[in-house]
């Protein structure tokens, strides 16, 4: 008898639970809100919520500034599913556990992922408070959600990462930023496991690798979304210069504070993106 795929069963029942809670909606996007940006979800209209810990098979968010729940509602005239907070490898979760909420969204028929995070700048022309579109990623977490038997029974294990961040969506984001006078950089994102911040030597190494920004999330989600054939857009909020650049010594409080100050512009940016034709 073939081994039952536990992941498949868990994804099916989690998706059923979301449908029961939120109704059978035609979502435009899954939006993941990173550190400091969780408050964007408070602006979602007609919202309903479901905590991650109430969803069978799903882990709980334990990171500071991550509420840890799905919010379903309307933004810019579209139904959206929002993750108010995410799961991280540094919380002790496997890459598959981190990917789980993205795959649940894929089960609901969602074909667009807009993922966001707070990040440190490696590119010295960036400024704290800038937003930065991810043009590509360097996954330095040492982990991959497809490196397991069960996801590979559902999706093709050898996921193409060519144009992982959709170029057409990048243009839409740049237009929305320009129309709203929001500073939007574009560059290569490096994802590390964390949770310690980088050393100055690691920051210099990442610069040599060609990365423009660094943080401790996103890479596994992007691989998971591409495996499920979702289009992906990634946006970082630059909350600090990388450790050692201009004597920077980043800490989590600084990350939260910059997020709180930029939440309004981030909402506007997302609103502009969703208002454009992006599917
Ligand atoms: N490094 C890693 N993760 C981060 C940073 C950083 O400088 N800033 C916000 N998240």
């Amino acid at each position: 008898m073939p081994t039952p795929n536990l992941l498949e069963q868990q994804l099916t029942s989690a998706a059923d639970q979301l449908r029961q809670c939120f109704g059978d909606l035609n979502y435009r996007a899954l939006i993941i809100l990173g550190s400091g940006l969780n408050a964007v979800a408070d602006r979602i209209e007609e919202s309903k919520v479901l905590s991650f810990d109430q969803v069978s098979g799903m882990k709980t968010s334990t990171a500071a500034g991550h509420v840890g729940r799905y919010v379903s509602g309307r933004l810019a005239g579209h139904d959206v599913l929002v993750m108010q907070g995410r799961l991280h490898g540094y919380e002790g979760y496997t890459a598959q556990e981190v990917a789980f909420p993205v795959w649940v969204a894929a089960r609901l028929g969602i074909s667009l992922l807009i993922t966001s995070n707070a990040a440190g700048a490696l590119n010295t022309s960036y400024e704290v408070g800038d937003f930065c579109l991810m043009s590509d990623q360097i996954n330095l977490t040492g982990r991959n959600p497809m490196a397991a038997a069960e996801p590979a029974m559902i999706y093709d294990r050898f996921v193409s990462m060519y144009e992982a961040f959709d170029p057409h969506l990048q243009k839409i984001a740049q237009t929305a930023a320009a129309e709203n006078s929001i500073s939007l950089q574009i560059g290569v994102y490096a994802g590390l496991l964390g949770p310690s911040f980088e050393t100055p030597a690691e920051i210099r190494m990442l610069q040599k690798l060609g990365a423009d920004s660094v943080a401790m999330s996103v890479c596994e989600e992007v691989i998971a979304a591409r495996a499920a054939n979702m289009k992906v857009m990634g946006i970082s909020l630059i909350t600090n210069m990388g450790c050692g650049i201009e004597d920077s010594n980043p800490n989590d409080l600084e990350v939260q504070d910059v997020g709180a100050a930029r939440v309004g512009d981030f909402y506007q940016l997302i609103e502009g993106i969703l208002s454009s034709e992006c599917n």
Side-chain angles (χ1 to χ4, degrees), residues 118-120 197-198 214-216 239-240 250 255:
F197 283 96
E198 302 72 40
V214 59
M216 309 170 192
T239 55
N240 57 278
V255 169

Side-chain angles (χ1 to χ4, degrees), residues 27-184:
Y27 290 113
R28 182 68 169 266
L30 170 69
I31 303 172
I32 304 181
L33 298 174
S35 299
L37 298 171
N38 272 221
V40 167
D42 301 336
R43 302 185 183 205
I44 302 292
E45 290 160 12
E46 301 167 35
S47 64
K48 293 183 187 166
V49 302
L50 182 64
S51 286
F52 293 164
D53 58 13
Q54 288 179 296
V55 180
S56 68
M58 195 153 149
K59 298 295 178 185
T60 311
S61 189
T62 66
H66 290 257
V67 178
R69 61 185 189 180
Y70 282 112
V71 179
S72 169
R74 298 199 47 92
L75 204 167
H78 298 285
D79 290 325
V80 289
L81 183 65
V82 175
M83 282 171 59
Q84 196 176 21
R86 58 154 56 79
L87 305 172
H88 303 83
Y90 68 68
E91 295 173 86
Y93 299 138
T94 65
Q96 187 180 310
E97 286 165 343
V98 170
F100 188 89
V102 175
W103 284 332
V104 172
R107 290 275 150 140
L108 296 177
I110 302 180
S111 59
L112 169 62
L113 168 65
I114 302 176
T115 185
S116 69
N117 68 0
L122 303 166
N123 186 320
T124 53
S125 72
Y126 292 0
E127 289 182 17
V128 170
D130 283 349
F131 293 102
C132 183
L133 263 181
M134 298 175 198
S135 58
D136 207 344
Q137 72 177 22
I138 304 178
N139 177 12
L140 295 168
T141 64
R143 300 141 43 89
N144 191 309
M146 302 314 294
E150 291 189 327
M153 288 160 73
I154 304 173
Y155 303 112
D156 181 6
R157 174 176 272 159
F158 302 104
V159 181
S160 165
M161 294 299 285
Y162 181 72
E163 294 186 341
F165 297 91
D166 191 87
H168 176 63
L169 293 176
Q170 288 171 32
K171 290 211 174 66
I172 286 172
Q174 284 168 322
T175 305
E179 282 172 0
N180 290 283
S181 306
I182 294 170
S183 170
L184 182 67

Side-chain angles (χ1 to χ4, degrees), residues 19 91 127 196-197 202 245 251:
R19 267 190 220 100
E91 295 173 86
E127 289 182 17
S196 50
F197 283 96
E202 287 166 342
I245 300 176
N251 65 69

